[in-house]
């Protein structure tokens, strides 16, 4: 294992120190491992918090700031944060208009956020609504599993719901915007290599030089199948076609197209991928209204990519275009 | 009187559970690595060490305060899915027992039944989903039936352990339908469930303590 770390046990704590030092607009509660806006709570504004295991950066801490999240809770690497953290974050950002919890659909995350919401209601009377993302089409048989995983749509949802909250909309309105984003978005990912969890010190799974894991999860969970290495053009087909078929996206739909890197893939390759994705979408008559290309929801050092498509209307696009000022997304300011 | 369980006995039970999880930390992690994300042993170990430290600090005098303290500590320190599930189990047990310094075997069985109810409420598990439920439910059944037929404490706990171990072993051929293991589908078959394994350790701890 070759990593820029001091001690595998201290990776999360030391990264939080770095985030605090690098971003004066953000505060860090080191005891609870919370990154939050320095100006929180904003009176009358719906607070939005998210959180999850570390290792997916910039998700979620890199999306804290104006127009996006008010706070993010960092768990251990690939381990959900505990209810105390979300409870503390909820109290930090509650400006009287209630708090939205954005939760990725993993068993641990869902349960820990649920307990936090119960504790928040009991202790502070804060109004909490939770929205769970579950956009990963690689999980096919969701009746007999823990359900689809929350992946790329989470990034788009945090931006769009964040803009709605910034406009002063009510908790129920912001939650409805968030639900619509989840309902209209689909994703699928592919790994070229495994990731290595610092505390484990060795790759999570073995993948041959000539193999790829199609439909991989962001913690290295296995996907639909292991397939032979292919070109970017073929890979784009393998990812985009199942995503298109699932919603389904059809001729004339407008979308935000998000080509994401999983942590170990260069931007150069992501743009090669984006070109292929764009070509396929054009072929289906799907109109790309906005794009996002880069590594925004990662799996440590995993090489690979995911494609997320979100069907949008003009209202959603105006929320997407609204100003945002966070470490990882910044425009319109 | 021998069939009563004192708060000191419950304290010993939690400590023995922490010891057993520490001794089996690596094998729990290996079981989890095969079908989950490989952190079950380390997470439970961290949480139970914290629970033992909390018992040292607060020296709870009643069954309910003791189990509440353990539950809250587990929820706050374990993380993942195991924290809310085992934490809720202890919290519900504490709530069922009330402020008493010692409890009967029947009360203990009732408390474990409430703990099982908490696990189901939190995790929505059903029989055969390949989860901790599949070891805990038979253990609770065995303890209840032993308590109601007047079996003495030591034998009742042995029956509960045997039921938990049978339930644990029965998870191996099951297809996982909850948690991260469910993403594996057929590939989860042939692996013993780590959560059910930890439940069997909890029952073994009751004998080691002894309760």
């Amino acid at each position: 294992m070759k990593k820029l770390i001091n001690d595998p046990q201290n990776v999360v704590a030391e990264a939080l120190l770095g985030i605090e030092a690098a971003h004066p607009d953000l505060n860090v509660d080191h005891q609870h491992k919370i990154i939050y806006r320095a100006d929180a709570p904003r009176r009358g504004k719906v607070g939005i918090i998210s959180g999850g295991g570390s290792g997916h950066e910039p998700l979620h801490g890199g999306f804290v700031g104006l127009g996006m999240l008010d706070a993010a809770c960092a768990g251990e690497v690939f381990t959900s944060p505990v209810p105390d953290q979300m409870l503390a974050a909820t109290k930090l950002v509650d400006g009287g208009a209630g708090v939205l919890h954005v939760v990725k659909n993993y068993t641990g995350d869902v349960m820990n956020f649920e307990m936090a919401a119960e504790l928040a209601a009991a202790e502070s009377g804060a109004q909490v609504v939770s929205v769970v993302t579950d956009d990963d089409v690689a999980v096919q048989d969701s009746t007999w599993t823990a359900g689809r995983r929350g992946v790329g749509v989470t990034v788009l949802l945090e931006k769009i719901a964040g803009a709605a909250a910034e406009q002063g909309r009510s908790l129920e309105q912001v939650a409805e915007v968030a639900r619509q984003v989840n309902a209209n978005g689909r994703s699928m990912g592919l790994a070229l290599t495994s990731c290595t969890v610092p505390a484990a010190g060795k790759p999570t799974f073995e993948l041959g030089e000539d193999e790829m894991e199609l439909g991989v999860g962001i913690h290295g969970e296995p996907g639909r199948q292991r397939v032979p290495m292919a070109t970017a053009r073929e890979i784009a087909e393998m990812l985009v076609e199942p995503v298109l078929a699932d919603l389904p996206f059809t001729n004339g739909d407008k979308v935000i197209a998000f080509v994401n890197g999983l942590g170990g893939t260069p931007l150069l390759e992501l743009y090669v991928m984006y070109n292929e994705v764009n070509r396929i979408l054009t072929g289906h008559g799907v109109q790309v209204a906005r794009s996002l290309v880069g590594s925004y929801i990662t799996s440590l050092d995993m090489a690979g990519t995911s494609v997320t498509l979100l069907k949008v209307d003009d209202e959603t696009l105006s929320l997407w275009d609204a100003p945002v000022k966070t470490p990882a997304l910044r425009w319109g300011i | 009187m021998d069939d009563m369980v004192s708060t000191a006995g419950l304290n010993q039970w939690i400590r023995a559970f922490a010891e057993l999880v520490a001794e089996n930390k690596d094998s729990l992690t290996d079981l989890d690595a095969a079908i989950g994300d490989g952190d079950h042993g380390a997470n439970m170990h961290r949480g139970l060490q914290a629970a033992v430290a909390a018992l040292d600090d607060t020296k709870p005098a009643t069954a309910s305060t003791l189990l509440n303290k353990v539950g809250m500590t587990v929820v706050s320190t374990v993380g993942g899915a195991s924290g809310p599930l085992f934490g809720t189990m202890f919290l519900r047990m504490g709530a069922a027992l009330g402020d008493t310094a010692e409890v009967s075997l029947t009360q203990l069985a009732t408390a474990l039944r409430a703990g099982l109810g908490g696990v189901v409420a939190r995790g929505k598990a059903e029989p055969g989903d390949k989860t901790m439920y599949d070891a805990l439910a038979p253990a609770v059944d065995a303890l209840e039936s032993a308590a109601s037929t007047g079996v003495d404490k030591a034998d009742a706990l042995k029956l509960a352990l045997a039921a938990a171990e049978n339930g644990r072993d029965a998870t191996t051929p099951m297809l996982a339908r909850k948690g991260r293991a469910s993403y594996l589908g057929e590939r989860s078959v042939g692996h013993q469930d780590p959560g059910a394994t930890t439940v069997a350790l909890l029952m073994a701890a009751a004998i080691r303590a002894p309760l």
Side-chain angles (χ1 to χ4, degrees):
Chain A
M1 175 175 65
K2 290 167 85 176
K3 287 183 185 289
L4 300 173
I5 58 178
N6 295 312
D7 176 345
Q9 301 308 322
N10 294 342
V11 173
V12 176
E14 290 182 30
L16 288 172
L17 287 167
I19 286 170
E20 185 177 39
H23 303 289
D25 289 355
L26 304 180
N27 287 347
V28 174
D29 172 342
H30 293 282
Q31 187 206 336
H32 290 107
K33 296 190 166 65
I34 300 168
I35 300 164
Y36 62 102
R37 283 171 67 163
D39 60 356
R42 299 279 304 278
R43 188 117 296 273
K45 184 185 101 63
V46 168
I48 305 187
I49 73 163
S50 190
S54 292
H56 307 305
E57 292 70 22
L59 187 93
H60 296 273
F63 300 137
V64 177
L66 175 78
M68 218 162 162
L69 298 178
D70 292 275
C73 303
E76 293 302 315
V77 173
F78 292 175
T79 299
S80 164
V82 299
D84 309 40
Q85 294 175 266
M86 281 76 87
L87 176 62
T90 300
K91 290 177 181 169
L92 275 173
V93 308
D94 185 14
V99 180
L100 180 72
H101 287 185
V102 178
V103 189
K104 301 192 297 303
N105 189 34
Y106 299 94
T107 304
D109 293 65
V110 169
M111 284 188 218
N112 282 287
F113 269 91
E114 235 174 55
M115 292 195 84
E118 290 167 15
L119 291 169
E123 281 187 26
S124 68
Q127 232 194 316
V128 173
V129 173
S130 300
V131 171
V132 178
T133 60
D134 58 350
D135 51 305
D136 188 353
V137 306
V139 180
Q140 288 169 298
D141 195 4
S142 46
T143 315
W144 298 110
T145 64
R148 287 183 163 176
R149 301 176 287 230
V151 285
V153 152
T154 316
V155 177
L156 309 182
L157 184 152
E158 289 177 359
K159 166 67 189 83
I160 291 165
E166 209 68 59
Q167 288 180 348
R169 298 193 198 182
S170 71
L171 179 58
E172 194 36 57
Q173 289 169 327
V174 175
E176 187 50 31
V177 166
R179 286 184 206 109
Q180 284 306 315
V181 171
N182 185 58
N184 288 310
R186 296 290 188 276
S187 303
M188 185 146 149
L190 169 131
L192 303 176
T193 67
S194 174
C195 52
T196 298
V197 175
K202 53 180 201 284
T204 304
F205 59 91
E206 296 299 326
L207 201 52
E209 189 57 29
D210 52 351
E211 291 178 317
M212 314 183 292
E213 182 80 23
L214 179 63
V216 76
I218 54 172
H219 311 91
E221 310 97 306
R224 286 190 180 191
Q225 54 181 326
R226 196 156 283 196
V227 295
M229 191 58 210
T231 62
R233 180 161 303 167
E234 291 160 336
I235 290 170
E237 299 275 347
M238 291 179 212
L239 296 180
V240 177
E241 293 295 346
V243 167
L244 282 172
D246 195 88
L247 191 62
F249 296 85
T250 54
N251 195 342
D253 282 350
K254 278 203 287 192
V255 299
I256 296 175
F258 170 26
V259 171
N260 175 59
L262 291 177
T265 286
L267 195 51
L268 185 72
E269 293 172 29
L270 296 182
Y271 275 109
V272 172
M273 273 296 296
Y274 185 79
N275 180 46
E276 300 298 343
V277 169
N278 187 54
R279 186 183 51 76
I280 297 168
L281 293 179
T282 305
H284 283 274
V286 171
Q287 185 202 335
V288 179
R290 301 288 186 276
S291 66
L292 183 68
V293 182
S295 297
Y296 293 101
I297 171 169
T298 61
S299 185
L300 293 169
D301 52 350
M302 179 182 284
T305 184
S306 64
V307 174
T308 299
L309 298 179
L310 172 65
K311 185 170 157 180
V312 290
D313 54 16
D314 291 343
E315 158 73 11
T316 312
L317 277 181
S318 78
L319 291 170
W320 177 255
D321 290 338
V324 60
K325 189 183 178 196
T326 70
L329 280 188
R330 192 175 285 240
W331 61 66
I333 304 267
Chain B
M1 281 306 286
D2 282 343
D3 279 348
M4 297 302 279
V5 176
S6 66
T7 304
L10 292 173
N11 199 314
Q12 284 308 310
W13 184 24
I14 300 304
R15 286 164 196 276
F17 182 36
E19 278 172 26
L20 280 169
V21 167
E23 289 162 20
N24 291 279
K25 178 163 71 92
D26 293 342
S27 63
L28 288 174
T29 288
D30 289 345
L31 287 174
D32 192 33
I35 54 171
D37 54 0
D39 58 4
H40 181 68
N43 288 349
M44 288 301 296
H45 175 62
R46 182 177 62 240
L48 289 169
Q49 293 305 311
V52 167
L55 293 182
D56 287 340
D57 281 350
T58 57
K59 302 185 175 55
T62 67
S64 68
T65 49
L66 184 142
L67 290 164
N68 280 335
K69 178 53 84 178
V70 171
M72 285 310 292
T73 308
V74 164
V75 166
S76 300
T77 54
V78 174
S82 303
L85 289 169
F86 280 92
T88 300
M89 180 188 78
F90 285 120
L91 287 170
R92 294 285 179 97
M93 288 175 70
L97 286 177
D99 279 335
T100 164
E102 56 174 22
V103 300
S104 69
L105 201 56
T106 306
Q107 285 173 304
L108 184 69
T110 305
L112 267 172
R113 173 69 63 195
L116 177 67
V119 169
V120 170
R122 186 66 61 201
K124 320 279 187 296
E126 292 174 25
D129 280 350
K130 194 181 184 95
T131 70
M132 66 183 286
Y133 177 96
D134 294 311
L136 187 55
V140 174
D141 290 344
L143 196 64
E144 266 180 356
S145 120
S148 70
T149 52
V151 174
D152 73 30
K153 185 171 72 181
D155 287 337
L157 293 174
K158 279 182 201 153
L159 289 168
L161 172 62
E165 288 179 338
N166 285 336
R168 172 200 67 195
D169 295 344
T171 63
T172 301
M174 289 177 186
L175 181 77
R177 287 177 179 167
K178 286 285 181 294
R180 226 166 258 179
S182 67
Y183 301 131
L184 286 161
E186 293 290 344
R187 286 193 267 177
S188 67
V189 171
H191 297 278
Q192 183 176 307
D193 180 64
T197 308
T198 301
V199 168
L201 294 178
L202 177 69
M203 295 304 154
I207 291 165
R208 182 190 276 205
L211 256 188

